[in-house]
Amino acid sequence: EGMRVDPDFRGRGIARRCLDWNLAYAREWGARVVRLSTGDYNTPVHRMAAHVGMERVTLGLLRAVEVLPGGRRPAILGPQDADRVVRFWQQSPVLAASAGLYSRDWAWQDLSAEQLAAMLDRSEVVAELGPNGSLAAVATVHHHPDDDELWVGIADGEPGAVQALALAIRAQAAEAGAGVVRTMLPDVPWLRDAFAAAGYGLRGDWGGELWIFELRLEAGPSSPPQGATGAGERGR
């Protein structure tokens, strides 16, 4: 989730020791994968991740936009759409460019059929429908109650339909009580252009990319390492 070293104590291997402990913790709890994200500029973390065998698998560009009250909202898909939604993502070039991952807040997870089924149950899959009811564009979204942000996890489809869907999500966010829509866009130029055309842009003073590193683990026994005090985050 996050690791910071006081500037006065950097360069002493403290971050590496923390990462080693976290990897041991993940193995002992039987985790199958560990992921971390860091800025494209953060070469010390890039080297540290490579040293423990982590590989960069994808990247995300943070973009955000204010909500759009009164706009046209997207179609919300449900469990009855599971088969065609799974087929849509199985054939998705954007998902392939994202190493099979979607972002949920600041974490990246596998977009599996099981995850999609859970999101369909929670009305977290939205679409721009074609004239014949086809899936012209699909996105995953999530919004925590009382949170000011609605997140778009991943989107794909026909470029014009994706732009229309990105715009409709702004209206959906306003209805949900959010004030801002955020998304992590993979390195797919047309997708970034479609979201930019729908108003998504830089908010704040940092516009760089986040690099996502991953390490696949062999499952170990389901018990914490000696000295563990927290529950940890699995599959991050």
Side-chain angles (χ1 to χ4, degrees), residues 4-193:
R4 306 287 186 272
V5 178
D6 188 309
D8 293 339
F9 295 91
R10 290 175 184 168
R12 304 185 187 184
I14 294 172
R16 171 65 191 278
R17 291 178 64 186
C18 289
L19 180 58
D20 287 344
W21 191 93
N22 278 280
L23 291 176
Y25 186 93
R27 288 188 175 97
E28 290 294 332
W29 273 97
R32 293 170 297 176
V33 60
V34 171
R35 299 187 184 100
L36 66 82
S37 63
T38 189
D40 55 357
Y41 62 89
N42 201 339
T43 52
V45 174
H46 303 166
R47 291 194 296 267
M48 181 177 65
H51 191 76
V52 298
M54 304 188 81
E55 297 182 353
R56 194 184 84 180
V57 292
T58 188
L59 54 83
L61 182 70
L62 179 64
R63 289 294 182 260
V65 67
E66 293 180 352
V67 299
L68 190 63
R72 180 183 62 87
R73 298 183 299 277
I76 299 177
L77 305 181
Q80 71 278 2
D81 300 297
D83 289 343
R84 64 176 184 157
V85 168
V86 169
R87 287 195 302 269
F88 179 95
W89 289 113
Q90 286 175 338
Q91 300 167 5
S92 166
V94 171
L95 185 60
S98 301
L101 307 176
Y102 74 102
S103 64
R104 192 169 184 91
D105 299 320
W106 297 90
W108 278 259
Q109 302 178 15
D110 292 301
L111 189 63
S112 64
E114 292 76 16
Q115 288 278 32
L116 285 169
M119 286 189 281
L120 287 165
D121 282 340
R122 296 191 298 262
S123 300
E124 292 181 346
V125 182
V126 297
E128 181 75 12
L129 301 179
N132 59 354
S134 62
L135 300 178
V138 179
T140 67
V141 298
H142 62 279
H143 175 246
H144 301 296
D146 302 322
D147 196 340
D148 189 52
E149 300 175 344
L150 181 143
W151 280 77
V152 181
I154 192 169
D156 198 357
E158 302 166 7
V162 170
Q163 179 181 335
L165 180 57
L167 195 63
I169 289 171
R170 294 176 60 187
Q172 178 188 13
E175 186 178 67
V180 176
V181 183
R182 295 189 187 274
T183 186
M184 293 284 186
L185 297 170
D187 191 13
V188 179
W190 73 259
L191 183 69
R192 293 180 174 184
D193 289 344

